[in-house]
Every structure is written in structure tokens, then in C-alpha cells.
Amino acid sequence: MTIGVKKVARPREMSFAESLYLVEIVKGLGVTMGHMLSNIVRQEGIKTIEYPEVRRRMPPRFRGKHRLMKRENGAPRCVACFCCPTACPAKCITIVAGESPDPAVEKYPVRFDIDMLRCVFCGLCVEACPVDAIRMDTGWFTPPDDTREKLIFTIDTLLEK
Amino acid sequence: MTGPLFDIAVAVARIAVFFAFCFGLVVVMTWVERKGAAYIQDRRGPNRADIFGIRAWGLFHPLADALKFLFKEDFIPDNAHRLFYQMAPMFSLAPAILAIAVIPFGPDVTVMERRIALQIADLNVGILYLFAVSGMTVYGVVLAGWASGSKYPLLGGLRSSAQMISYEVSMGLSLIGIFMVFESVRMSRIVAGQGGLLFGVLPKWGVFVQPLGFILFLVAQYAEANRTPFDMPESESELVAGYHTEYASFKFSMFMMAEYLHMVVGAAVVATLFFGGWQFPYLGDAGFLFPGGFAVAVPPALVLLLRIGAFVSKVLFFAWLYVWIRWTIPRFRYDQVMRLGWKVMLPLSLLNIFVTGLTLLLLKK
């Protein structure tokens, strides 16, 4: 079998004026100055999102910070079935189950901690949940914080969102 | 106030004012560089530092930077040569500022019946002094590279020495045309010589008399100041940060100040040698005299202000040109820098000398 030879288009030879560089440099200076002036006069060309004041709109399936859903009476929807800590590859979810005061519900989470320092935002907890109690649809990534303790989210903070 | 006391006062005042001008411009240029880079690249640039809620387009960032550098840990790596490591930033900053001594900032002024040159020292070896001093700047870079005891700074220092030697040659040769035309190496004479008219229309500035010399000198200046497209010693994408990789805190800041001082002084030198220094086009001692024989009388105080203003605006333009060029042209490869230096710049500067000499000879006959 012969090796196929493909002709690749080579860039054309530089003309004399181009090989002097000077004209091309002046053209380049024109391009950069044009960008600068248009950015000073009109701000639309600037791509920067000024982060704390303006936030990027995340796509709907973006996996952001977790939240726990509530029932109609305000109790957590979670039934403490331990599917999410089992599915979690980073082992960042800690649940302590307790007997629910509501006779219709068997168990509820006394503690539901997510260690955001370990979470890898894979979304497997959301996939695993049989009652749609945990979601990652806040459209917001974990903001930085001063201490490690503040980044271990407890059930109260998760229910707030 | 008479006699020596007056002279000393004048000398101190001149040094203080020019020093303040240059360092003030350095501070402004760091802001201009960051903000200009941002706007050229469709970004916003620094705008967060504020004093009492006033942000002023990030103008306080240089202040915040200076404070930050002062409070950072002054770290010396174990492998570094302690003495040379600490000397290097001084060696790079001092020659950069020395060069302003011979630059005339304005015409002579008469104060209390004495003529005072607006120049720290009007040396009769003017440009040679400039070369000597700017040649010394490479020591700071090489010393930093060698004393850091680390491979990236060493490579940066090596590149810098090779580059400086190559471009120093064509830089010197490109100016010989200027000496030949203005028949002096004294800066004040060169500026005074640029006051006339060429063919009765153009101001007799160095750039019109020596266009090729100007381009060669400008390119060599960029190489000397280690600015893009010749920032081989730094080249952050290849050598981390080149010669100042191992530096932190205020020592690093001294290297940065030296770089910006080079820009400011380089801009002043280009303005002085090729753009008439403090000469305002068509402005004589008594007022404007346009080519058509049309004259406008201007009071002497305004003439002085216009001339100093002309110098300052030329310096500002060339300082901005450094920034503008940096964000337009990418860095050369190392062998391309060497090829340009030895195989293009050097023959062209020799050709320039030959053509200038020939023209002057024919004009004299």
C-alpha cells in the first residue's frame, strides 16, 4: 500500500513590503489602537464580567451548589435513605437519620452535612436520590470563605437555598 | 542669595524636579501599561483599588502595589549569592536613573540675571555618557541571573548579555549620523541644532534628517530596555520570569521600576535626539514663524511653557509607544533577535553612516 501524500497549502511568500515588517507593524498598531479607542468610547466590546456585581447566567444544567428540597409542610423532603453518600465518589456527604415526627414518613435526616472542600460537583448524589430531595440547580458555584468550617454546609444552610 | 549658594540651590532644585518627573511618570506608566493592555485586549483592567470609595479608573493601583511590595516577605533563596543577589536590583535601578542627567528638559532660562540650563549636567560628552550609563544596565540583569542560583534567571541573564551586546553596537552606530549632521555630541547643541527648518518647510528634527537612523535607534532602544518584542531576558512564557524569577518584595519592585524608568528615559532620549527635544515646531524665541512668512508674536513666558510642554508631550507619546508596541507585537524567537541584530541592523546602520557622510560631503562642495 502506498502512502497517500496530501498537498498542504503553504503560506504564500512575503512580498518585499511585508518582509520589511515596518508597514505591517504600523498596520498592527492601527488594529490595537482601533480596539482601544472603540473600547474607551463604547463599552460593549469589553468581554469582562465584573464578577461580584454582575454574575454570569449559568446554563440550566450547570451543576452548582447543592440545595435540599422541602415538603409542602416545610419538612425536608429527604428520607435519609443513604443513597447519596453511597453514590458519592468523594465521600463528602454525612447523614444521621432519625425517626420522623410525621407518621406518614418513616425517617428524616437529623444531620445532613456536605463537605464542600471535598465535593467534586459530579452530580451523582442528585442522580441517586429516589425522592428528588437534593438538587444542584442553584446556578452558583461555591464562593470562597475565611475558614474551613464555614465550607461544611449543614442541613440548615442547604434547606435555605 | 548669591554665588555658590545660588548655584547649589539651582542644582538641587533641578535634580529634585527631574527626579520627581521621572519617578512620577514611572508610577503613571505602570497604570497606563495595565489599563492600556486591558483596553487593547477588550478587557477592563484594574479598577478595584479605592480610597474612600473613589476608584478613579484604577489610578490607585500603583499605590496599592507599592504598599503590597513593602509589606511582602523579603526572601533570599538558599542557593543565591547573598551579596550579589542584593546588589543586583540596585545595579539595575541606578544606571536607569543616571541617564536623565544629560537630557535637556527645556531651553535656558534667565533667573535673577543668570542663565540656567534646564538640564542637570550639560556634559560635553553627552551622548557618550548616555551610552556608558545605559550599557551598565545589563550588569544588573546579568548579576541577578547569576546570583539567583537558579536555572531560569541564569538563562535570562545570558540572553540579556548577548542581546545587549548585539544591539549596543547598532544603537551606537545609528547615532553617528546624528553627530555628523549636528556636529556635536553635546545634548544641548543637538537640541539647539534642531531648531532650524529643512527645505524651509519641515522642522530640522533628527527624524527628518536621519529617518533610517531613527528607526534603527528606536528598535535598538526597545532591545536595550528589554521591552517586547525583545523581552528575551524576561520572556515569562519560556523562563517563568527570567532574571527576576527568584526576586520578591521590594527588590522585585526595584526591577520593575528600572524597567519603567528605562521606558521613560528612553522616550526622553528619542524625543531629544530625533524629535527636537524642547523645540516646538515653527516656534522661535520671539514667537511663531510659519513657512509662508506668517508670524505670530508670543510672550517669552508662554514660549518657555510651550517648549517644556512640547518636551513633556513628546516624552509621553514615546512612553505610550512602548506600551502600544508591547501589546501589538509578539516576542521574537531568540535566534530571530540575534539575526535581526547582526544581519539587518548592523549593515543598515553602517549604510546609514555611509549615505550621511556622502550627502554631507556633496552638500559642502
Side-chain angles (χ1 to χ4, degrees):
Chain A
M1 199 175 82
T2 53
I3 301 168
V5 177
K6 192 183 174 192
K7 273 278 184 193
V8 179
R10 294 278 169 201
R12 64 184 176 79
E13 292 273 306
M14 282 195 288
S15 69
F16 178 70
E18 281 170 343
S19 68
L20 282 179
Y21 293 124
L22 289 174
V23 184
E24 300 299 309
I25 285 173
V26 172
K27 278 188 201 165
L29 288 175
V31 170
T32 46
M33 184 49 94
H35 268 261
M36 196 180 94
L37 292 180
S38 76
N39 284 333
I40 288 174
V41 176
R42 294 177 290 116
Q43 306 271 312
E44 296 103 69
I46 295 176
K47 308 285 189 294
T48 314
I49 295 169
E50 295 201 69
Y51 164 60
E53 293 96 21
V54 185
R55 286 177 181 183
R56 184 193 292 276
R57 272 181 63 91
M58 290 303 175
R61 295 189 59 186
F62 175 77
R63 294 195 297 268
K65 235 156 64 169
H66 312 69
R67 65 177 178 138
L68 285 180
M69 308 301 289
K70 287 177 186 165
R71 293 167 195 274
E72 272 162 19
N73 62 5
R77 204 187 270 175
C78 175
V79 292
C81 70
F82 290 80
C83 276
C84 51
T86 311
C88 182
K91 300 271 175 282
C92 66
I93 303 176
T94 314
I95 300 177
V96 174
E99 195 169 335
S100 171
D102 186 351
V105 184
E106 198 177 330
K107 290 199 292 179
Y108 85 108
V110 180
R111 269 180 64 198
F112 192 108
D113 298 346
I114 301 182
D115 186 348
M116 297 309 274
L117 298 165
R118 300 188 59 169
C119 177
V120 293
F121 293 92
C122 62
L124 287 182
C125 49
V126 181
E127 300 275 330
C129 188
V131 292
D132 191 19
I134 186 166
R135 289 187 187 171
M136 294 176 81
D137 59 354
T138 46
W140 191 232
F141 35 85
T142 348
D145 225 318
D146 304 334
T147 60
R148 286 167 182 273
E149 286 71 32
K150 283 182 192 163
L151 283 168
I152 297 171
F153 289 172
T154 56
I155 187 162
D156 301 322
T157 49
L158 289 166
L159 277 170
E160 270 171 22
K161 289 173 189 110
Chain B
M1 211 161 47
T2 48
L5 197 63
F6 183 73
D7 292 339
I8 290 170
V10 166
V12 169
R14 277 192 303 214
I15 292 172
V17 170
F18 299 160
F19 236 72
F21 174 74
C22 285
F23 273 98
L25 204 52
V26 164
V27 172
V28 175
M29 283 314 289
T30 57
W31 176 78
V32 168
E33 173 115 85
R34 295 176 65 186
K35 206 73 181 171
Y39 275 99
I40 284 173
Q41 296 172 343
D42 299 345
R43 295 184 285 116
R44 275 187 200 284
N47 59 0
R48 293 288 143 165
D50 66 280
I51 294 179
F52 305 123
I54 301 164
R55 282 183 169 172
W57 312 282
L59 261 173
F60 298 123
H61 271 267
L63 197 69
D65 278 343
L67 280 177
K68 180 193 74 177
F69 279 129
L70 275 174
F71 285 107
K72 275 197 166 183
E73 186 190 354
D74 193 10
F75 183 78
I76 300 178
D78 277 347
N79 287 336
H81 187 294
R82 293 186 71 89
L83 177 66
F84 292 158
Y85 179 84
Q86 307 207 42
M87 271 162 64
M90 305 175 201
F91 264 80
S92 75
L93 187 58
I97 192 68
L98 277 177
I100 64 164
V102 292
I103 291 163
F105 279 62
D108 292 355
V109 282
T110 313
V111 179
M112 294 162 75
E113 293 163 7
R114 295 256 211 127
R115 282 184 78 76
I116 295 165
L118 289 186
Q119 187 177 13
I120 294 175
D122 191 10
L123 298 178
N124 55 359
V125 289
I127 294 179
L128 299 181
Y129 167 84
L130 209 63
F131 280 144
V133 166
S134 69
M136 264 161 62
T137 55
V138 69
Y139 286 112
V141 177
V142 174
L143 204 57
W146 191 255
S148 291
S150 161
K151 53 185 174 291
Y152 293 119
L154 182 61
L155 283 170
L158 281 174
R159 283 179 175 194
S160 167
S161 51
Q163 178 182 316
M164 292 268 184
I165 291 166
S166 322
Y167 282 83
E168 194 88 21
V169 176
S170 43
M171 187 176 173
L173 291 176
S174 67
L175 280 187
I176 289 184
I178 285 282
F179 306 160
M180 287 158 85
V181 175
F182 297 110
E183 296 172 348
S184 179
V185 287
R186 198 186 268 257
M187 297 293 254
S188 57
R189 288 253 185 86
I190 290 175
V191 175
Q194 297 183 64
L197 289 183
L198 198 65
F199 313 122
V201 185
L202 281 175
K204 198 188 172 189
W205 286 356
V207 65
F208 298 121
V209 190
Q210 288 280 314
L212 183 59
F214 165 66
I215 290 165
L216 292 172
F217 183 74
L218 196 70
V219 173
Q221 275 264 301
Y222 281 69
E224 282 277 306
N226 291 333
R227 291 284 299 184
T228 330
F230 301 102
D231 61 341
M232 289 282 109
E234 242 185 273
S235 53
E236 63 275 5
S237 51
E238 301 154 36
L239 301 181
V240 189
Y243 62 96
H244 53 50
T245 305
E246 302 291 342
Y247 282 85
S249 169
F250 213 70
K251 291 202 191 79
F252 173 76
S253 151
M254 280 168 83
F255 277 120
M256 290 310 280
M257 272 200 278
E259 189 187 328
Y260 284 95
L261 262 177
H262 269 296
M263 284 166 60
V264 171
V265 173
V269 170
V270 172
T272 307
L273 293 177
F274 289 96
F275 283 82
W278 44 261
Q279 300 278 8
F280 197 96
Y282 310 118
L283 181 67
D285 286 333
F288 285 103
L289 185 65
F290 291 105
F294 179 62
V296 183
V298 178
L302 193 60
V303 169
L304 181 69
L305 276 183
L306 276 176
R307 284 178 162 172
I308 293 174
F311 178 76
V312 171
S313 43
K314 283 168 194 171
V315 170
L316 287 179
F317 173 76
F318 280 103
W320 161 246
L321 189 66
Y322 272 95
V323 174
W324 192 6
I325 294 265
R326 175 169 179 183
W327 302 106
T328 302
I329 309 174
R331 184 183 306 122
F332 279 124
R333 214 169 52 210
Y334 184 56
D335 62 310
Q336 291 171 331
V337 170
M338 287 294 123
R339 200 180 61 197
L340 181 70
W342 289 109
K343 292 170 87 172
V344 181
M345 302 269 294
L346 187 60
L348 277 180
S349 49
L350 289 173
L351 179 78
N352 187 41
I353 296 172
F354 176 72
V355 172
T356 311
L358 202 67
T359 317
L360 287 176
L361 195 69
L362 292 175
L363 283 177
K364 283 241 169 83
K365 272 194 175 170

